[in-house]
Amino acid sequence: MTSQQGLPAAVDAYKAGRFEQCLLRLSPLIAKGGRDAKLILMAAQCHAKLGQLEQAAQYYAQAADLDAKNGRMLRLLAARSYRRARRRSPALTLARQAARGGPFDVEAESTYRSLLREQLLLAECEVEDALMLERLTSGDAPAFGVDDPHDHIMWCDDEGLNAKVTRMHGGTAFTAQSRLERRSRAHSYGERIRVGYLSNDICDQHATMRLLQGVFLSHDREKFDITLFCYTDDDVLSADQGLRSQYGTIVSIRDLDDAQAADLIRGHGIDILVDLKGHTKDARISLVNRGLAPIQVAYLGFPGSGTGIDCDYIIGDRIVTPDASRSYYHEKFCRLPDSYQANDRLHRVLPPPATRESLGLPADAFVIASFNAVKKITPRTARLWTRILVAIPRAVLWMMCDDDDARANFIAFMASLGVAAERIQFARRADYPAHVARLQAADIALDTFPTNGHTTTSDKLWAGLPVLTCKGRNFTSRVSESLLNAIGMPELVADDEDSMVELCIALAKDGDRLAEIRARLAENRLVAPLFDTTRFTRHLERAYEMMVQRERQGLEPDHFDVPALPRPDKSFAVSPT
């Protein structure tokens, strides 16, 4: 077959969706010439359609070198394909080229900045964040569309700026008209309050469910009719160890489009729809914004205002959502009395501690742990950790990071600040029991800023590991303070970073004081409210009752605080074995 015959055959195969056949036709044509951008782009598209992401990225990058007019766009496609293939280093190189290859471009900037965080290129992050902050504070509209809300709160703790972010994944923003239509729709209430939870994390090994599943299991079914609307992927479901089946009624909407899913959910007559996703991965914002229930509530998934998501309330507490923050939220505050965060004590394992020897940790060091997600480790966080490590010569930093390039980048940044590589110990992901066991081998944990540990902080507290944090300026930077207060350890919350450094140094020098804190933390685990799942569930249910009461009285949603139940005068549980 001649090249003139081969190209039409390749095009026909591509149009017919026969991508493997198209690649067979293209291969000799590319091998013969190799300089035709259109042929190489077609090959890239075929590989992308077949899910062969690394090959697609290679061809997109080649096409970019041959097509100056569209080179920037093609490099961005290459970067995103490499990223999806978990090849972050070449992805970053191409994203940087795309971002710096012309005038300010929202999409290129978004990918570039997100990859910087994943790769722990902290010096570059520091420069880029400073430039972005200048744009944001000057009111540059395109800048508010660069970071998605979840990436934005990883580095920016200005609630005023957080509230103006316009980038959204999973849908388009609600309008005043769409909200009015939802709230005007006829609705009948029954004897039981019908609550629907919406999520794609419904698996007993997912971090969100480790927090919330005890609530599902503890709901008062005589007063509440609970339905979980689930679109969880098979790869997540495959990790489930059987507890999911006990959550209650689970209705799958995974294979339904938004219109079909909305009809199905409305058909259940839900009184309160609880969106557990907010601005997190695979959120179905357009589905929520179709109007699924007369009362819609944001909870747990996203630590901040769900800008553009039609929820009447956000569930918080007096620490994460203080009165001063009201103007930055379109949602009304529903504040729980202890902490906003649910915690499943009923099925949370507490194995014996792992030995330092088994973990490769030095026996005589002061081990400082941080197992927060890599993207939470900002330049601010690393500089704070450095101050502590320099002040405590026998200390080592023990942190979770799976990516070898990110490890190397972090070591280089810390070395530039005077911390030697041998003082940084890396750990990879582990299954949950092994993770809780290893946490107990550390002396103390340090938080990340501005986004704190959320499930990771509660995991450490459950393991009896003290977590040091300091007061924050937005929801996500106040989470650890909320948890520490709910477990009766407010002295671990410093007023500022200087005080946090001083506290850590003092505890490193005073073993008896640290031992007393650890002993009290272990005791409070089954006395203080944080892990009292039943108490939390009753408070949450009271919140739902108060929402419905307002609605049935024809009142608009408004801020309210849930009254606290009396505290038990003894341990609420027997420690699990």
Side-chain angles (χ1 to χ4, degrees):
M1 179 179 292
T2 66
S3 60
Q4 288 79 8
Q5 294 172 318
L7 180 56
V11 171
D12 289 343
Y14 183 84
K15 289 180 177 179
R18 299 191 298 270
F19 303 116
E20 291 180 349
Q21 185 178 354
C22 180
L23 286 169
L24 286 174
R25 302 293 188 190
L26 288 173
S27 182
L29 300 177
I30 293 173
K32 183 177 294 185
R35 303 294 299 172
D36 189 327
K38 291 181 179 179
L39 294 181
I40 293 171
L41 178 57
M42 192 184 301
Q45 295 285 76
C46 286
H47 283 296
K49 297 285 187 181
L50 293 168
Q52 298 163 354
L53 299 172
E54 192 164 347
Q55 296 95 320
Q58 291 168 353
Y59 277 114
Y60 281 133
Q62 289 180 37
D65 291 338
L66 298 170
D67 184 352
K69 181 180 178 181
N70 297 303
R72 195 178 191 188
M73 176 195 69
L74 294 170
R75 288 187 181 91
L76 182 56
L77 287 172
R80 289 178 170 176
S81 296
Y82 270 129
R83 185 184 189 185
R84 289 175 60 202
R86 300 186 183 278
R87 293 286 311 283
R88 294 186 180 93
S89 184
L92 176 59
T93 298
L94 286 156
R96 185 187 289 114
Q97 292 172 357
R100 297 294 163 260
F104 185 82
D105 181 85
V106 166
E107 292 303 317
E109 287 288 337
S110 177
T111 300
Y112 167 49
R113 288 173 53 76
S114 188
L115 280 163
L116 281 179
R117 299 196 189 289
E118 292 175 6
Q119 287 291 281
L120 289 178
L121 282 164
L122 299 180
E124 199 170 347
C125 273
E126 208 160 29
V127 172
E128 293 301 323
D129 286 349
L131 293 172
M132 182 57 64
L133 188 60
E134 287 181 11
R135 286 182 173 273
L136 295 172
T137 54
S138 70
D140 180 27
F144 289 96
V146 173
D147 292 335
D148 69 39
H150 202 253
D151 278 351
H152 185 70
I153 61 173
M154 292 294 170
W155 69 277
C156 180
D157 62 356
D158 184 323
E159 286 187 303
L161 297 178
N162 297 158
K164 296 177 182 177
V165 170
T166 56
R167 189 177 185 88
M168 295 178 64
H169 292 296
T172 55
F174 76 94
T175 64
Q177 180 62 32
S178 67
R179 168 170 277 194
L180 178 62
E181 289 174 1
R182 169 178 65 84
R183 293 190 50 75
S184 300
R185 192 173 289 125
H187 184 79
S188 298
Y189 292 91
E191 292 185 6
R192 294 191 297 167
I193 294 176
R194 297 181 292 268
V195 180
Y197 291 95
L198 176 66
S199 179
N200 71 330
D201 301 326
I202 303 176
C203 160
D204 61 17
Q205 296 305 297
H206 193 280
T208 301
M209 292 301 112
R210 284 210 186 95
L211 297 178
L212 193 57
Q213 61 193 3
V215 172
F216 295 155
L217 298 167
S218 301
H219 267 310
D220 184 343
R221 303 295 169 152
E222 292 187 1
K223 295 182 178 179
F224 295 87
D225 181 355
I226 306 299
T227 305
L228 280 64
F229 296 102
C230 170
Y231 58 103
T232 310
D233 288 337
D234 286 337
D235 60 339
V236 176
L237 290 174
S238 65
D240 189 84
Q241 296 183 5
L243 194 58
R244 168 188 155 101
S245 64
Q246 300 178 38
Y247 291 169
T249 302
I250 299 178
V251 175
S252 176
I253 60 168
R254 187 179 66 179
D255 298 326
L256 304 181
D257 63 24
D258 287 348
Q260 294 168 328
D263 287 343
L264 183 150
I265 294 171
R266 289 182 196 136
H268 279 73
I270 297 298
D271 302 320
I272 301 173
L273 189 285
V274 183
D275 175 32
L276 297 173
K277 296 299 295 183
H279 289 294
T280 58
K281 187 174 183 292
D282 298 324
R284 293 186 66 170
I285 293 170
S286 282
L287 172 59
V288 176
N289 287 351
R290 281 179 174 266
L292 308 177
I295 304 168
Q296 297 193 164
V297 178
Y299 180 51
L300 199 59
F302 183 73
S305 177
T307 52
I309 305 176
D310 183 16
C311 286
D312 303 295
Y313 296 97
I314 181 170
I315 294 175
D317 59 48
R318 290 181 179 273
I319 292 174
V320 295
T321 49
D323 289 345
S325 295
R326 288 182 178 183
S327 63
Y328 304 118
Y329 287 71
H330 68 269
E331 307 96 335
K332 301 300 184 182
F333 289 173
C334 161
R335 299 194 298 201
L336 302 183
D338 300 318
S339 174
Y340 85 100
Q341 190 187 82
N343 274 283
D344 176 28
R345 171 193 55 79
L346 307 175
H347 302 90
R348 210 166 192 154
V349 297
L350 187 59
T355 65
R356 287 193 175 183
E357 181 181 10
S358 70
L359 298 165
L361 294 171
D364 58 350
F366 185 74
V367 178
I368 298 172
S370 173
F371 282 78
N372 293 355
V374 162
K375 290 178 73 172
K376 295 183 181 182
I377 303 173
T378 58
R380 171 187 170 189
T381 298
R383 290 185 182 279
L384 177 63
W385 291 353
T386 297
R387 292 175 61 189
I388 291 170
L389 290 167
V390 169
I392 309 172
R394 67 186 183 93
V396 296
L397 176 65
W398 186 32
M399 58 182 281
M400 187 175 69
C401 181
D402 289 331
D403 188 277
D404 290 338
D405 290 327
R407 290 183 176 195
N409 293 333
F410 184 76
I411 287 171
F413 184 79
M414 296 297 277
S416 74
L417 300 177
V419 176
E422 57 267 23
R423 298 187 64 194
I424 303 171
Q425 301 277 324
F426 290 105
R428 296 191 184 274
R429 294 183 184 275
D431 63 31
Y432 192 69
H435 177 58
V436 176
R438 70 183 176 182
L439 287 174
Q440 298 172 69
D443 290 295
I444 207 162
L446 296 180
D447 212 354
T448 47
F449 305 98
T451 293
N452 296 165
H454 297 171
T455 307
T456 46
T457 292
S458 65
D459 285 342
K460 289 166 184 169
L461 298 177
W462 178 252
L465 179 62
V467 178
L468 301 191
T469 193
C470 63
K471 292 183 178 294
R473 300 202 306 155
N474 61 354
F475 190 131
T476 195
S477 61
R478 299 174 181 136
V479 168
S480 290
E481 179 185 359
S482 171
L483 305 188
L484 285 163
N485 274 269
I487 204 168
M489 306 296 292
E491 67 267 37
L492 299 181
V493 182
D495 288 334
D496 51 40
E497 292 180 10
D498 289 345
S499 300
M500 183 176 166
V501 172
E502 292 171 5
L503 177 59
C504 192
I505 294 169
L507 292 176
K509 291 179 178 178
D510 190 344
D512 291 341
R513 182 183 174 194
L514 181 57
E516 185 276 327
I517 286 173
R518 291 182 69 113
R520 189 153 42 90
L521 178 57
E523 179 183 355
N524 286 2
R525 179 170 48 219
L526 297 178
V527 177
L530 182 61
F531 295 111
D532 189 340
T533 306
T534 302
R535 175 182 173 85
F536 178 89
T537 305
R538 298 290 88 83
H539 284 150
L540 183 64
E541 290 174 343
R542 182 62 187 133
Y544 293 157
E545 289 171 340
M546 293 171 76
M547 292 175 191
V548 169
Q549 185 178 25
R550 286 193 64 84
E551 196 69 19
R552 297 187 74 163
Q553 291 174 348
L555 300 174
E556 286 295 308
D558 201 0
H559 304 287
F560 69 91
D561 293 331
V562 175
L565 292 167
R567 288 276 300 276
D569 57 3
K570 58 183 178 179
S571 172
F572 52 77
V574 175
S575 180
T577 58

